[in-house]
Amino acid sequence: MQLKLKVWRQAAPDQSGHLEDYRLSGVSPDMSFLELLDLLNEQLTASGQEPVEFDHDCREGICGSCDLMINGQAHGPELRTATCQLYMRNFKDGDTIVIEPWRAQAFPVVKDLVVDRSALDRIMAAGGFVSVKTGSAPEANSLPVAPGKAQTAFDYATCIGCGACVAACPNASAALFTAAKVAHLSLLPQGHPERRQRVINMTEQMTAEGFGDCSNHGECQAVCPKGISIDAIATMRREYLKTIF
């Protein structure tokens, strides 16, 4: 396959960026999208040019660090797929592919395709945890959880914190990310002692980080690589209302 790439290049956070054109040949349909970028960087390095900076770690759809906007869609055209799990068979020979970083005030560009997503870490630090006594593990049956609640909690817990929901939202809202964490813990007995303060702390931190408000566009659910439902946002809102009234 031969492809034309338009890649966002930005040397530093305080500098302006631009899309730069590259051409690649010999692209295998069995390559992952990150392997495509590896191939591009090999070509750039061989010609004495600076390689493109991009985030990656596990390359297994687990860590959430492979955050790219591909042809205007978070993680690309394949549904419920992180960028590292996107394969070049989803594109055609001769295609032009536009590759950009996440676009959000709370995700400042560090360099090229790398953005600072530490705002999500600070939301988690504000309340996305349970406080427990240390010691040996408790008996598994001492805190029974109904199967339906356990499954729903697990569905919310699959959030990998990639930030695609923020990038896709026209308001750059982190409501789905925050809601997944709040809803996950609100369904489990371990999360009940701190549930009221948790939802206040996490939503306030979300606002403080500069994320926008949710207006129910549903784009977050559409691009989430784990398919997390916006039902989580409704749960978070109910938790918040029960706390303040």
Side-chain angles (χ1 to χ4, degrees):
M1 293 171 61
Q2 292 188 340
L3 298 170
K4 179 181 179 181
L5 306 182
K6 300 177 76 67
V7 183
W8 185 259
R9 302 304 306 263
Q10 184 170 337
D14 58 348
Q15 296 186 27
S16 60
H18 64 280
L19 288 170
E20 197 158 316
D21 292 342
Y22 301 101
R23 292 189 179 275
L24 276 183
S25 58
V27 177
S28 168
D30 295 325
M31 281 182 175
S32 73
F33 202 86
L34 295 189
E35 288 173 327
L36 173 80
L37 293 178
D38 289 337
L39 181 64
L40 171 63
N41 280 344
E42 289 174 5
Q43 177 177 298
L44 292 174
T45 302
S47 61
Q49 301 178 66
E50 188 172 4
V52 177
E53 294 284 342
F54 65 96
D55 260 337
H56 63 93
D57 189 3
C58 73
R59 299 199 178 205
E60 295 177 343
I62 297 172
C63 70
S65 61
C66 56
D67 45 352
L68 294 178
M69 190 68 78
I70 301 167
N71 286 343
Q73 186 170 347
H75 291 303
E78 190 73 9
L79 294 179
R80 299 195 178 189
T81 301
T83 299
C84 61
Q85 298 172 302
L86 179 67
Y87 287 88
M88 299 315 298
R89 64 179 71 100
N90 290 284
F91 302 90
K92 300 189 296 294
D93 184 38
D95 275 355
T96 296
I97 305 176
V98 181
I99 310 170
E100 299 172 275
W102 286 167
R103 301 293 189 183
Q105 178 182 332
F107 290 162
V109 174
V110 177
K111 185 177 181 180
D112 294 338
L113 303 174
V114 179
V115 300
D116 181 357
R117 295 178 299 123
S118 58
L120 299 183
D121 296 330
R122 290 189 288 273
I123 292 174
M124 284 295 291
F129 55 84
V130 296
S131 300
V132 297
K133 295 180 180 179
T134 57
S136 59
E139 163 59 39
N141 294 322
S142 63
L143 292 172
V145 183
K149 285 190 174 182
Q151 184 58 56
T152 303
F154 180 80
D155 290 344
Y156 293 148
T158 59
C159 170
I160 57 176
C162 64
C165 51
V166 177
C169 177
N171 306 326
S173 171
L176 188 63
F177 166 80
T178 307
K181 308 305 180 182
V182 169
H184 161 218
L185 294 176
S186 71
L187 288 166
L188 300 177
Q190 295 92 333
H192 284 191
E194 298 164 296
R195 65 189 297 182
R196 292 184 178 275
Q197 195 58 48
R198 175 183 300 113
V199 68
I200 294 294
N201 290 350
M202 294 186 75
T203 53
E204 287 184 351
Q205 186 65 41
M206 177 176 64
T207 301
E209 295 293 343
F211 293 106
D213 293 328
C214 172
S215 50
N216 293 325
H217 280 76
E219 292 293 332
C220 53
Q221 176 179 280
V223 301
C224 176
K226 299 302 178 182
I228 295 174
S229 170
I230 57 174
D231 290 349
I233 299 176
T235 299
M236 178 177 71
R237 286 170 170 167
R238 284 195 296 271
E239 290 289 309
Y240 185 86
L241 289 174
K242 284 188 291 187
T243 298
I244 63 174
F245 292 112

